[in-house]
Amino acid sequence: MEREVRVRFAPSPTGPLHIGGVRTALYNYLFAKKMGGKMILRIEDTDQTRFVPGAEDYINESLEWCGIKLDESPWAGGDFAPYRQSERKPMYMQYALQLVEAGHAYYAFDTAEELDAMRERLKAAKVATPQYNAITRMTMKNSLTLPEDEVKRRLESGEQYVIRLKVPRKEEVRLKDLIRGWVMVHSSAIDDKVLMKSDGMPTYHLANIVDDHLMNITHVIRGEEWLPSAPLHVLLYRYLGWEDTMPEFAHLPLLLKPDGNGKLSKRDGDKLGFPVFPLRWTDPVSGEISSGYRESGYIPEAFVNFLAFLGWNPGTQQEIFSMEELANEFSIERIGKSGTRFDIQKARWFNEQYLRAKPDAELAYYLLEALKEHNISCSHEKAEQIAGLMKERVSFPQDFWREASYFFVAPTTYNEKVASKKWNSQSVAVFEDFKNELSSLENFNADTVKELLISILERYGMKIGQVMQALRLAVTGAEAGPDLMQIIEVIGREETITRIETAISKLSQYAAA
């Protein structure tokens, strides 16, 4: 009988969740949904010295914003609780002791000074990678080199120790990665990792394996940075007798800097002006504020769609996917092996597509929120009209106010470049007639306004293109925008007339030239 697919996202609460971590969570979630499985979140907080207050809540809120729903977590609970490793502390020692009893691990009593001295000796001997391993362990103070009675005495006296994995000296460790194929590492390249620290807390390596086994995790989908640890984890599964139920591994490609040189970092985002965190983060110690995609105006669905394509592709030309569609199409086989360059312009493009696809009635709320901040009243119907006109010109919700403010606030300055080229005595003559006849125009709307303007231009033997930029300047103060006749319809008859009169007065020097 096939096992139920169970995946886990296991972040550490050491600060804000990096965009790469969000992508890892997303790929786990999509795979679980595709396979009809479960998505588990486990907080890996074995290193209590790096714990940052607020980081857990930040992780939870970030995933909620993205629409990544957890089946089991510290907040939702589940059959395999607790989901914080610090709360699971009592269970790890038994597995470490099991490894010691089986001869696959040992007690090490070396002090920090002795470890430093060992590394210095190895450096002096020109050893490329100084480490505690099958060779060096025999020169150190541990239960493999000390007499059994002395080991017992040290343990009973409460002397500090760690438990290290006893890695074989000459063995080929193999695992099949779902993305990279077979990975082979010689055991001589693996050091005797600490499994239990002197404070009684397990290290990531032991806790990770024990928890994945006890929580019935079937697939471990995680970042490429964990690939070097995978052979060590294979050894742990083998030595604990769990190799038959060991999860399948998939190590995701790195997110690269925009130029492709190295892993994407917060510094890159700060330097190039884009967020690397899903939500804004305030450092509880320094007070430093880091920007987030949510606060920058990204729609969560667009952000998720963008993230999905950073390393995966559907094999078709389709780019816009709902979460449901992503889950249906997702497959680990279509995840690339090589790193993916981060392209903030593509993120912006996705946001634009999602904004344009929203109903005007929904977009109107973005504008209405901004109008409240400026103490400007507006009906929902009018806001909907404006949102419909402007949505092809915005990238973010906050752009609606910036791009459409002239619907509510008459221009006080004008683009001099346009004024010097397009504002002249002929256009002023047309605008004088136009504003005078607007006041008596029946059925005031975009079509009738345009018909009136064309009829006046015919009198002067002019074409509409000769005055449109100048008229736009008078009405909006801008040199470009949506259909001007529709803008005039929204602004209204009286306000349009007033704005044209103001422009004629303020731009008189160009008409005289």
Side-chain angles (χ1 to χ4, degrees), residues 257-259 264 266-275 342 344:
K257 302 171 190 280
D259 64 6
L264 180 71
K266 178 182 178 298
R267 188 177 300 165
D268 299 313
D270 292 342
K271 182 180 174 184
L272 299 171
F274 59 80
F342 187 83
I344 193 62

Side-chain angles (χ1 to χ4, degrees), residues 361-401:
E362 190 176 333
L363 295 176
Y365 286 106
Y366 294 133
L367 180 57
L368 288 168
E369 282 179 25
L371 290 172
K372 278 183 192 173
E373 292 175 16
H374 290 85
N375 295 316
I376 296 172
S377 60
C378 175
S379 68
H380 192 281
E381 184 184 4
K382 183 177 177 180
E384 192 174 328
Q385 269 186 292
I386 295 169
L389 287 173
M390 303 305 298
K391 66 180 179 182
E392 296 295 323
R393 297 179 169 272
V394 300
S395 300
F396 304 102
Q398 61 267 31
D399 293 345
F400 279 103
W401 166 251

Side-chain angles (χ1 to χ4, degrees), residues 259-417:
D259 64 6
N261 295 317
K263 186 178 176 181
L264 180 71
S265 69
K266 178 182 178 298
R267 188 177 300 165
D268 299 313
D270 292 342
K271 182 180 174 184
L272 299 171
F274 59 80
V276 294
F277 303 134
L279 316 179
R280 179 184 291 136
W281 168 258
T282 303
D283 188 286
V285 177
S286 68
E288 179 189 2
I289 296 174
S290 300
S291 61
Y293 280 85
R294 181 179 65 183
E295 292 75 17
S296 297
Y298 284 86
I299 295 168
E301 296 86 351
F303 177 69
V304 162
N305 201 153
F306 164 65
L307 264 193
F309 274 73
L310 288 176
W312 169 86
N313 75 82
T316 65
Q317 295 301 307
Q318 183 179 347
E319 289 188 277
I320 304 299
F321 287 83
S322 66
M323 185 75 90
E324 201 67 38
E325 289 170 328
L326 283 172
N328 289 337
E329 292 297 323
F330 187 78
S331 69
I332 290 177
E333 291 75 23
R334 298 209 64 85
I335 297 173
K337 294 182 180 71
S338 56
T340 305
R341 290 188 186 198
F342 187 83
D343 182 0
I344 193 62
Q345 293 309 318
K346 193 65 178 180
R348 186 186 181 105
W349 178 85
F350 272 109
N351 215 55
E352 290 168 351
Q353 306 314 304
Y354 274 82
L355 273 177
R356 290 167 191 174
K358 283 183 178 288
D360 295 348
E362 190 176 333
L363 295 176
Y365 286 106
Y366 294 133
L367 180 57
L368 288 168
E369 282 179 25
L371 290 172
K372 278 183 192 173
E373 292 175 16
H374 290 85
N375 295 316
I376 296 172
S377 60
C378 175
S379 68
H380 192 281
E381 184 184 4
K382 183 177 177 180
E384 192 174 328
Q385 269 186 292
I386 295 169
L389 287 173
M390 303 305 298
K391 66 180 179 182
E392 296 295 323
R393 297 179 169 272
V394 300
S395 300
F396 304 102
Q398 61 267 31
D399 293 345
F400 279 103
W401 166 251
R402 191 180 69 244
E403 295 291 330
S405 58
Y406 55 71
F407 280 94
F408 305 95
V409 181
T412 55
T413 59
Y414 303 89
N415 186 302
E416 288 190 20
K417 187 177 176 183

Side-chain angles (χ1 to χ4, degrees), residues 26-327:
L26 175 64
Y27 283 5
N28 274 279
Y29 178 66
L30 294 176
F31 181 71
K33 285 198 72 171
K34 173 73 175 281
M35 304 305 291
K38 296 275 176 38
M39 169 76 172
I40 293 93
L41 183 133
R42 185 174 69 231
I43 294 292
E44 302 206 334
D45 57 350
T46 55
D47 189 347
Q48 291 288 293
T49 61
R50 298 179 62 219
F51 177 80
V52 174
E56 253 197 48
D57 290 338
Y58 181 92
I59 292 166
N60 187 25
E61 190 178 351
S62 295
L63 297 182
E64 278 189 355
W65 178 70
C66 292
I68 296 173
K69 296 177 178 130
L70 305 170
D71 294 295
E72 300 167 28
S73 71
W75 313 290
D79 294 339
F80 298 87
Y83 292 91
R84 290 183 187 88
Q85 286 185 335
S86 59
E87 296 171 9
R88 299 169 68 83
K89 179 180 174 180
M91 71 177 66
Y92 299 114
M93 182 59 86
Q94 64 179 299
Y95 297 102
L97 294 177
Q98 179 183 325
L99 290 167
V100 173
E101 288 295 317
H104 295 305
Y106 58 92
Y107 300 106
F109 301 97
D110 315 285
T111 64
E113 293 75 20
E114 288 167 337
L115 290 170
D116 288 339
M118 179 264 285
R119 293 187 193 100
E120 290 306 317
R121 285 196 305 272
L122 294 175
K123 284 180 187 175
K126 308 295 184 189
V127 175
T129 311
Q131 56 187 13
Y132 206 121
N133 59 19
I135 297 172
T136 58
R137 71 166 79 115
M138 300 314 295
T139 66
M140 302 302 289
K141 201 163 58 182
N142 54 58
S143 58
L144 301 178
T145 61
L146 297 172
E148 189 176 337
D149 59 344
E150 187 176 346
V151 171
K152 185 179 179 183
R153 181 187 61 76
R154 285 173 181 265
L155 292 174
E156 289 176 349
S157 68
E159 185 173 332
Q160 283 203 334
Y161 65 89
V162 298
I163 296 178
R164 289 182 179 271
L165 182 66
K166 186 182 177 185
V167 178
R169 184 171 178 181
K170 292 181 180 179
E171 188 174 317
E172 199 80 57
V173 184
R174 303 169 78 243
L175 75 140
K176 190 172 185 181
D177 187 275
L178 294 174
I179 295 172
R180 297 156 198 283
W182 283 102
V183 176
M184 284 165 279
V185 176
H186 196 272
S187 62
S188 61
I190 307 171
D191 60 333
D192 290 2
K193 293 286 187 196
V194 172
L195 302 179
M196 291 295 294
K197 294 179 283 190
S198 58
D199 62 0
M201 283 295 281
T203 60
Y204 166 83
H205 303 291
L206 179 64
N208 174 277
I209 297 321
V210 169
D211 288 343
D212 283 351
H213 173 73
L214 296 179
M215 292 180 178
N216 294 338
I217 300 303
T218 60
H219 296 78
V220 171
I221 304 169
R222 59 187 179 186
E224 182 183 303
E225 61 270 25
W226 292 110
L227 188 57
S229 300
L232 171 74
H233 298 166
V234 170
L235 289 177
L236 279 168
Y237 277 110
R238 183 183 306 162
Y239 295 158
L240 286 164
W242 301 334
E243 198 168 15
D244 289 346
T245 57
M246 182 173 72
E248 295 187 72
F249 292 97
H251 289 88
L252 306 175
L254 291 175
L255 286 189
L256 303 176
K257 302 171 190 280
D259 64 6
N261 295 317
K263 186 178 176 181
L264 180 71
S265 69
K266 178 182 178 298
R267 188 177 300 165
D268 299 313
D270 292 342
K271 182 180 174 184
L272 299 171
F274 59 80
V276 294
F277 303 134
L279 316 179
R280 179 184 291 136
W281 168 258
T282 303
D283 188 286
V285 177
S286 68
E288 179 189 2
I289 296 174
S290 300
S291 61
Y293 280 85
R294 181 179 65 183
E295 292 75 17
S296 297
Y298 284 86
I299 295 168
E301 296 86 351
F303 177 69
V304 162
N305 201 153
F306 164 65
L307 264 193
F309 274 73
L310 288 176
W312 169 86
N313 75 82
T316 65
Q317 295 301 307
Q318 183 179 347
E319 289 188 277
I320 304 299
F321 287 83
S322 66
M323 185 75 90
E324 201 67 38
E325 289 170 328
L326 283 172

Side-chain angles (χ1 to χ4, degrees), residues 17-29:
L17 187 59
H18 187 275
I19 190 172
V22 183
R23 186 193 62 169
T24 298
L26 175 64
Y27 283 5
N28 274 279
Y29 178 66

